[in-house]
Amino acid sequence: EAGVVQSPRYKIIEKKQPVAFWCNPISGHNTLYWYRQNLGQGPELLIRYENEEAVDDSQLPKDRFSAERLKGVDSTLKIQPAELGDSAVYLCASSSSRPQGWLTDTQYFGPGTRLTVL
Amino acid sequence: SQQGEEDPQALSIQEGENATMNCSYKTSINNLQWYRQNSGRGLVHLILIRSNEREKHSGRLRVTLDTSKKSSSLLITASRAADTASYFCATRSGGGADGLTFGKGTHLIIQP
């Protein structure tokens, strides 16, 4: 079974430029998460999707960040315009809500996109 | 915001020794999970312990949970070089598919 796929793996841009990250979750996983991980820190949740609906976007900086999950499968996270402080690793994760006991609590993470803003 | 705080921030031990990492959190939880992150494999789920459980084992891993102290510990026995990684505790306050709240992590180095 393929894991969570993210692209690109690395991105270097200048400040004020736009950038987008793409995520393909594990097949059949209806819940998708975007996290941001700053250097030396743990991941922090940005947004959670249940199918195509954003059910928790309270931590998403909405002035410059946007996300979408059309058709409830792939997702795109966008930053426009990027700022120096946005340099981080952006992680996508997915999980299944099927009743499998503890398995529903396990999130599977992609390799992340490392963003450097110059 | 970070929920958990891992302790120590960094740990270096000899191969074959046991490694213990601690995690403290602030609010009530539904469950607590431990993840490992290294450059080769990204963030990988290791073990989950629910709020009504006190101890759980999985292979060389042993996790304890003390909800009265809002703390957990992860023990890795008979460490191997491949265990070198950062270890994060993550909590979930509600049931279902809520997002996880991670700590800052413990960086573990296993010396050959």
Side-chain angles (χ1 to χ4, degrees):
Chain A
E1 179 182 85
V4 176
V5 179
Q6 290 187 248
S7 70
R9 292 293 307 277
Y10 305 90
K11 189 73 176 179
I12 301 174
I13 61 171
E14 295 189 345
K15 63 181 180 182
K16 300 184 180 179
Q17 294 300 306
V19 64
F21 315 121
W22 175 80
C23 173
N24 177 241
I26 291 174
S27 178
H29 282 193
N30 59 317
T31 306
L32 184 146
Y33 312 80
W34 282 103
Y35 289 84
R36 177 172 59 190
Q37 184 175 21
N38 293 312
L39 188 64
Q41 304 290 315
E44 294 184 311
L45 181 69
L46 292 175
I47 190 169
R48 171 169 68 99
Y49 280 92
E50 294 289 343
N51 299 305
E52 64 274 8
E53 181 183 0
V55 296
D56 182 2
D57 63 355
S58 57
Q59 301 302 314
L60 190 72
K62 298 181 182 62
D63 57 336
R64 297 182 299 105
F65 286 66
S66 65
E68 61 182 11
R69 192 185 183 197
L70 300 176
K71 301 181 181 179
V73 182
D74 295 358
S75 177
T76 302
L77 178 69
K78 298 178 181 178
I79 308 175
Q80 183 172 10
E83 297 179 351
L84 296 177
D86 296 331
S87 295
V89 176
Y90 291 83
L91 296 165
C92 178
S94 69
S95 68
S96 170
S97 64
R98 289 173 296 175
Q100 294 179 12
W102 71 270
L103 288 177
T104 62
D105 291 311
T106 300
Q107 295 182 19
Y108 297 86
F109 284 80
T113 296
R114 182 177 297 277
L115 173 67
T116 301
V117 181
L118 303 176
Chain B
S1 61
Q2 307 280 183
Q3 153 85 302
E5 289 281 342
E6 284 90 342
D7 169 54
Q9 291 187 357
L11 179 63
S12 180
I13 61 173
Q14 295 295 124
E15 192 168 17
E17 294 180 340
N18 296 341
T20 299
M21 290 159 271
N22 303 296
C23 167
S24 59
Y25 56 92
K26 300 174 183 175
T27 63
S28 297
I29 62 171
N30 176 280
N31 65 68
L32 185 145
Q33 305 177 35
W34 284 90
Y35 282 78
R36 179 181 65 209
Q37 185 177 43
N38 57 34
S39 59
R41 294 194 59 195
L43 203 63
V44 175
H45 180 270
L46 294 176
I47 193 166
L48 177 152
I49 186 166
R50 299 196 180 281
S51 60
N52 61 352
E53 297 175 312
R54 292 297 168 257
E55 186 171 315
K56 206 161 187 180
H57 297 255
S58 177
R60 294 185 296 113
L61 306 179
R62 172 177 169 257
V63 170
T64 62
L65 179 65
D66 187 335
T67 54
S68 66
K69 296 181 179 178
K70 291 188 169 59
S71 67
S72 173
S73 68
L74 172 67
L75 169 67
I76 304 174
T77 60
S79 63
R80 305 167 182 170
D83 294 329
T84 294
S86 291
Y87 291 81
F88 296 90
C89 69
T91 57
R92 168 169 280 148
S93 298
D98 290 352
L100 294 169
T101 304
F102 284 82
K104 295 183 179 181
T106 291
H107 186 54
L108 175 65
I109 297 174
I110 309 299
Q111 306 277 6

